[in-house]
Amino acid sequence: MPLGLFPSLSGYERDWLRGDLLAAITVWAVLVPEALAYASIAGVSPVVGLYAAPPALIFYAMLGSSRQMIAGPMSATAALSAATVADLVAGDAGLFAAMTATLAITAGLVALVAGILRLGFVASYISEPVMKGFIVGLALTIIVGQVPELLGIEPVEGEFFQRALQVLEQVGSVDALSAMVGLGSLALILGLRRAAPAIPGSLLVVAGGIAAVAVLRLDEHGVAVVGDIRAGLPSLGVPDVTADQFVSAIVGGAAVIFVGFAEGLGAAKSYAAKAHQDIDPNRELLGLGAANLGSGLMSGMIVNGSLSKTAVNVDAGARSQLSGLVVAALTVLTLLFLTGLFEQLPLACLAAVVIAAVIELVDFPALVEFFEAPSKRARQHFGVTARPDFIAAVAALGGVLLLGTIPGLAVGIGVSLVLMVYRSSRPNIATLGALPGGLFVDVEREPTAKPVPGIVVLRVESALFFANADAVRDAIRRRAREDGVRAVVLDAESIPSVDLTAAAALKQVDEELEAAGQRLVIARDIGQVRDVIDGTGALGERRRVYPTVSSAVADLTADLKGEQPPRP
């Protein structure tokens, strides 16, 4: 893992400059209103989102491996930050901002250590269906939490259903003017996204909302606005928290960065693949760690790779991280000279920007796709567990809606792992038959394949290990007891590994067949399987291994006829 700084600027070509600059302006137009919105999701002042953006962009460009990834505040990690910090501060609102920055620092340190230890592979432990269900649940929770500001009613708290119930109870007290501003802003953003996607609808709504307050004095007619935002750059340093409070944030920081890393890595890989580039997960951890550490030290919040802003960056023609560095500079200028404008931003407009940003994450068609994916054959074999992706996604979704963010993610991961173990404990064991020419195939998939008289050929389509050892042993034993069966051939081509428990089960069934005057042989085993069976003596001194199923069947057929062919 080479540690050169600003790797995307290596070999920079002059022709890239125009695209990078144009992309920077476009991304800045999207980032500013979204950063304000995501800070609101995190439960801190909107300006905190702007504090977080420059260090995130600069440090990711310095150490990250993606040429086009845009790092910054994001909805999912902002919501996780809010939930985690709320537990840490225990109702002390004055400590919320400091602990939000502390959480970013601890998350950054955890990611840096993980990157140094080359732990980038951990992202694979959150499957795509679990992440999808988690993000859908999180998006729904965020949306219902933003509805009060959209409609001008009292804020709501709790999990999704608690928030939804509190919103319904306040339907009669909706502020008409705030609702008009909020719903109109939301309709404009979504309409422009469909009709004219090149126009930054969020920026247009923000500018329009500020102008409307200035001209029509909406704040004097009951429309709530953002209020005071301190102009200038934040102070650099460690937040004012105790050592115990800092330590208490480490576990939460690790959990949040785990989710942020998985989400950002997926975005980075998707765009790198289109450009035929490689992404180094360990460098991504270093880049994300440095970005969060810098954000926390600048009084910011948790950051990670942004799929939406990266898409904008790519579509606008970015070729390197120069675009991200220019966005950082533009954001600094915003903090120095433009924060006064955002003080007059209606909260209803800000809520509309948030909802529009996360509504695309409510991907129910993906859940339908997970449901419909399994084949009829798979459904017959595995029953209700034939849809593990759908079940895991729904478990994560339901967990987030009922229990909250981190518990919901834990539920999704737990259900996914349980389903994986359960399905692997019931491997598909196919019966093979011969086609003309000696090819052996699954008789259920190819009805013209003919079973060999007196010989059962079985193919276990899974690794053999402790969880399925008994099932495989019992299947061999059951088939061997059928009338006229003299031998069993185990086609091991689809068995990548065998553990000691499975080897012991094979040895047991081999001894049972030998006692009954029957034979058990293996065909097409791979090196690891052969090593374990040899090392454990699983098939005893009679062990025979054949290069093909055909040769095994031919040898056994000759034996059954009383011939004595040479040993393989």
Side-chain angles (χ1 to χ4, degrees), residues 37-39 41-43 73-83 142 256 301-302 304:
Y38 296 150
I41 293 174
M74 279 295 293
S75 57
T77 44
L80 286 174
S81 174
I142 293 170
V256 178
M301 55 184 283
I302 287 277
N304 64 289

Side-chain angles (χ1 to χ4, degrees), residues 365-376:
L367 302 183
V368 174
E369 184 178 340
F370 293 150
F371 182 83
E372 295 177 345
S375 65
K376 181 179 180 181

Side-chain angles (χ1 to χ4, degrees), residues 42-45 48 51 81 85-86 88-89 92-106 235 237-242 245-246 248-249 292 295-302:
V44 291
S45 170
V48 171
Y51 290 164
S81 174
V85 172
L88 294 174
V89 302
D92 187 352
L95 189 59
F96 209 97
M99 285 303 294
T100 296
T102 300
L103 190 71
I105 292 175
T106 58
S235 58
V238 178
D240 185 15
V241 297
T242 66
Q245 290 168 337
F246 187 91
S248 69
N292 276 282
S295 174
L297 293 175
M298 291 287 287
S299 304
M301 55 184 283
I302 287 277

